[in-house]
Amino acid sequence: MLKEIVCITTLIVLVGCIINVECGRVRHYKWEVKYEFKSPDCYKKLTIAINGRSPGPSIIAQQGDTIVVELTNSLLTENVAIHWHGIRQIGTPWSDGTQGVTQCPILPGETFVYKFVVDRAGTYLYHAHYGMQREAGLYGSIRVSLPDGEEEPYKYDYDRSIILTDWYHKSTYEQATGLSSIPFVWVGEPQSILIQGRGKFDCNTPAGIQSGLCNATNPECNPYSLTVIPGKTYRLRIGSLTALSALSFQIQGHNMTVVEADGHNVQPFQVKNLFIYSGETYSVLIHADQDPSTNYWLSAKVVSRNSTTPDGLAILNYYPNGKYPPNSSPPPVGPQWNDVSPRISQSLAIKALPGYIHPPPETSDRVILMLNTQNRINGYVRWSVNNVSFTLPHTPYLIAFKQKLLWHHAFDQTPPPDGYDPNHDIYTVAKNVNATSSNAVYRLEFNSTVDVILQNSNTMNPNNSETHPWHLHGHDFWVMGYGLGKFNQSSDPKKYNYVNPIMKNTVAVHPYGWTALRFRADNPGTWAFHCHIESHFYMGMGIVFEQGVDRVGNLPKSIMGCGNTRG
Ligand code: C2O
Ligand code: CU
């Protein structure tokens, strides 16, 4: 009887949506977002916390459950919005939490309710999606388990989650101001890498001593420890929400078997170190089969940039009672920062697990080439896609399309280009004489199949190309292929993987390389697609897709109140 009542409640919650999920529970969370002093790496700094915590509380749910988060913004002078990264928001595009795309910002003092269904088991994340707020500490993990009676295609005894982040001592405001100043001011490399919100800044450096804010014995910066029982197998869910850094994660003395990527089962493969980019999640299996009388380092090292950031360290500890000797062996060294080949090999090794393969559509209706460049526009340093640098409008797209506010100049009506000058040389600094800023969107035909080819190129510095992890909201895409150099439209599609491509929501485009994605525009709404590096998106490295907004149900009033949506 009670179960039926819960189910009916869930159905009422879902009215207006496509109901393709099993009847699940409703999980209710009450969160207060607030600034607090925290010392995650022993250095005291203003941090945005949820209910006093950073990382925030984990959402632990079962496939088909409805998540309700009642979010109170207690930041006093700052707006907020939270995105549920990897959750497709089928039927609830207004709960995606992307300020400027799917909702107005939540004002100080306001309480906003996010309500959505977690329709697929897997490892996901949540984080702020307003300005550069994510890197101020507003993030956490979402773990969705299979429905009762269903089993994973692999076995483990315990399930653990960690999130990797990088950490700056400068405020997000100081950083954002630098990015949008002439001359450009770059904050540089992060001070620390945090593993599950904990790192260690060296308080004995001049910066540590002079600040008077660094205390090496603060328990808040005790390293995270993964305590294991000998002989057991652990599923470790690893997510990255770095602001900037690409990471190599490894566990001293223990191999890892990769079994899940972004919520999809992968054909298992073993690694000594796992490369992980901002916005990605992986599950690895670890066997606790080493000498239990010592500890082992968990380490996260910056790759792809010649970084000054020390490796992030945590501990794998075989003593269940918390008494362990300090690890005397030096942490593992990790791969060379500039060796791209093992990173490409890992990208290529990630394939869908037989039995869990979603075959991709054999053809696509539209191919969009997206050239990633760094440009100067009116003297400002920006990132662009096809020479268009993205800016967010004041009227969120979802509301503008649905309420037909277009004639109020809600955003630029000139569609952004589906390609770029075929003669563009990706190996030289772009001239970009015609680069512009725009908030125009790509409108996709509902239910059509779209290919996106991300094309990397040189930055504004000679002989330099960065790694960009691109994340798509509202969808999973098939990863059809990767390549080095310039994408060849006639020969490269012939090499696409139609057999067992993995589906993901975030994928890297490697230096001077290309990455080909395919997805179905089958989720009515407006969805951001952007580089997950916080400063890159802030500097224009993103776009928005519109699809089938006429099919979206009535928008909740709570997402409105800004731009043309007032009154
Ligand atoms: Cu996790 Cu739009 O981002
Ligand atoms: Cu980027």
Side-chain angles (χ1 to χ4, degrees):
M1 183 61 189
L2 182 66
K3 194 178 175 216
E4 274 162 30
I5 292 170
V6 172
C7 290
I8 290 164
T9 318
T10 310
L11 286 175
I12 291 167
V13 163
L14 290 170
V15 162
C17 315
I18 307 152
I19 304 167
N20 61 352
V21 291
E22 286 165 53
C23 183
R25 262 166 301 193
V26 178
R27 295 186 189 260
H28 207 278
Y29 298 83
K30 243 187 154 101
W31 288 358
E32 187 186 17
V33 173
K34 217 164 112 212
Y35 269 107
E36 306 205 1
F37 288 112
K38 297 255 174 222
S39 302
D41 64 347
C42 306
Y43 186 102
K44 189 156 84 180
K45 194 201 146 183
L46 273 181
T47 301
I48 303 182
I50 300 173
N51 296 349
R53 294 159 60 184
S54 171
S58 298
I59 291 181
I60 310 243
Q62 205 171 16
Q63 184 172 306
D65 287 354
T66 298
I67 307 298
V68 179
V69 178
E70 213 177 293
L71 187 83
T72 300
N73 178 6
S74 298
L75 294 173
L76 299 179
T77 61
E78 198 173 322
N79 299 329
V80 76
I82 294 188
H83 168 56
W84 316 95
H85 178 115
I87 308 299
R88 291 169 296 171
Q89 302 291 354
I90 296 167
T92 52
W94 50 79
S95 276
D96 191 48
T98 314
Q99 181 270 330
V101 179
T102 63
Q103 72 167 103
C104 291
I106 306 165
L107 303 179
E110 273 186 357
T111 297
F112 184 92
V113 179
Y114 287 105
K115 192 183 281 177
F116 55 90
V117 173
V118 286
D119 64 325
R120 204 188 48 230
T123 308
Y124 308 104
L125 303 160
Y126 67 81
H127 60 78
H129 216 297
Y130 176 72
M132 288 172 58
Q133 223 168 36
R134 183 180 93 213
E135 61 177 79
L138 186 38
Y139 64 89
S141 64
I142 303 175
R143 181 199 296 179
V144 183
S145 58
L146 284 168
D148 292 339
E150 279 185 45
E151 267 181 43
E152 308 282 4
Y154 39 85
K155 295 246 172 309
Y156 52 90
D157 301 298
Y158 298 98
D159 200 338
R160 301 277 184 271
S161 302
I162 55 169
I163 300 184
L164 311 175
T165 49
D166 46 12
W167 191 246
Y168 285 103
H169 291 167
K170 285 217 161 94
S171 75
T172 52
Y173 288 104
E174 198 166 342
Q175 293 182 49
T177 305
L179 299 175
S180 47
S181 292
I182 300 177
F184 179 74
V185 182
W186 172 240
V187 61
E189 297 297 313
Q191 276 61 56
S192 302
I193 301 295
L194 309 184
I195 298 181
Q196 195 53 12
R198 286 149 183 272
K200 205 151 225 90
F201 183 70
D202 185 356
C203 290
N204 287 322
T205 54
I209 297 164
Q210 282 156 23
S211 69
L213 297 169
C214 205
N215 172 7
T217 59
N218 188 328
E220 282 180 32
C221 56
N222 281 346
Y224 170 82
S225 68
L226 175 68
T227 303
V228 296
I229 299 167
K232 297 292 182 192
T233 300
Y234 288 77
R235 175 182 187 173
L236 184 62
R237 300 169 186 255
I238 309 163
S240 171
L241 284 175
T242 52
L244 175 72
S245 316
L247 297 173
S248 162
F249 176 81
Q250 80 184 78
I251 305 175
Q252 195 174 34
H254 296 73
N255 282 331
M256 301 176 280
T257 304
V258 181
V259 292
E260 182 217 344
D262 293 3
H264 291 275
N265 292 319
V266 310
Q267 210 167 293
F269 63 101
Q270 231 188 37
V271 292
K272 194 168 96 182
N273 65 291
L274 176 79
F275 295 106
I276 182 165
Y277 307 98
S278 184
E280 287 189 314
T281 67
Y282 290 100
S283 283
V284 298
L285 300 182
I286 307 153
H287 302 295
D289 57 1
Q290 298 299 303
D291 175 8
S293 68
T294 181
N295 297 308
Y296 301 86
W297 294 107
L298 269 60
S299 82
K301 174 199 164 109
V302 178
V303 290
S304 184
R305 299 179 65 89
N306 192 2
S307 181
T308 50
T309 312
D311 297 356
L313 296 173
I315 289 164
L316 185 142
N317 163 26
Y318 275 85
Y319 289 107
N321 297 323
K323 262 231 154 202
Y324 49 87
N327 197 326
S328 50
S329 62
V333 177
Q336 288 287 321
W337 72 268
N338 54 356
D339 190 355
V340 186
S341 60
R343 296 197 274 123
I344 294 177
S345 315
Q346 182 189 299
S347 291
L348 292 170
I350 301 169
K351 305 270 166 59
L353 178 67
Y356 296 84
I357 298 170
H358 305 273
E362 277 161 28
T363 54
S364 70
D365 303 303
R366 182 169 170 187
V367 179
I368 307 176
L369 304 172
M370 293 192 180
L371 175 68
N372 295 195
T373 53
Q374 199 176 29
N375 310 62
R376 212 175 277 279
I377 301 177
N378 299 329
Y380 294 99
V381 178
R382 301 285 298 173
W383 287 95
S384 302
V385 171
N386 297 342
N387 276 344
V388 178
S389 188
F390 181 73
T391 56
L392 280 166
H394 292 289
T395 306
Y397 296 107
L398 183 63
I399 313 171
F401 277 109
K402 176 75 184 162
Q403 319 284 74
K404 310 224 181 336
L405 301 171
L406 309 183
W407 55 88
H408 290 292
H409 307 288
F411 56 87
D412 190 345
Q413 297 295 298
T414 326
D418 273 16
Y420 58 92
D421 174 7
N423 296 317
H424 181 87
D425 179 3
I426 63 160
Y427 294 102
T428 58
V429 176
K431 290 182 212 79
N432 297 314
V433 279
N434 54 354
T436 53
S437 291
S438 167
N439 56 21
V441 297
Y442 287 88
R443 302 195 66 170
L444 305 176
E445 197 180 317
F446 184 67
N447 256 331
S448 63
T449 301
V450 179
D451 280 3
V452 171
I453 320 295
L454 294 162
Q455 176 67 59
N456 210 337
S457 71
N458 211 101
T459 63
M460 290 199 316
N461 305 315
N463 303 314
N464 178 250
S465 183
E466 296 187 12
T467 304
H468 304 282
W470 279 79
H471 170 60
L472 178 58
H473 290 220
H475 305 264
D476 294 328
F477 46 73
W478 288 274
V479 182
M480 302 303 289
Y482 297 90
L484 270 179
K486 200 157 149 182
F487 179 75
N488 182 317
Q489 269 187 278
S490 54
S491 60
D492 283 328
K494 297 196 179 105
K495 299 177 222 153
Y496 284 174
N497 177 8
Y498 286 93
V499 180
N500 54 3
I502 190 71
M503 295 193 85
K504 292 186 99 254
N505 61 59
T506 307
V507 74
V509 53
H510 295 291
Y512 298 112
W514 55 264
T515 301
L517 323 174
R518 180 166 292 181
F519 69 95
R520 268 216 124 95
D522 57 1
N523 191 5
T526 54
W527 307 105
F529 178 49
H530 62 89
C531 175
H532 214 263
I533 293 175
E534 189 99 298
S535 52
H536 290 189
F537 182 46
Y538 183 82
M539 292 160 75
M541 199 170 205
I543 59 110
V544 165
F545 289 120
E546 179 275 336
Q547 53 192 266
V549 166
D550 44 320
R551 293 161 191 263
V552 169
N554 285 337
L555 301 179
K557 266 232 144 58
S558 57
I559 65 168
M560 302 183 194
C562 58
N564 294 348
T565 74
R566 277 171 299 171

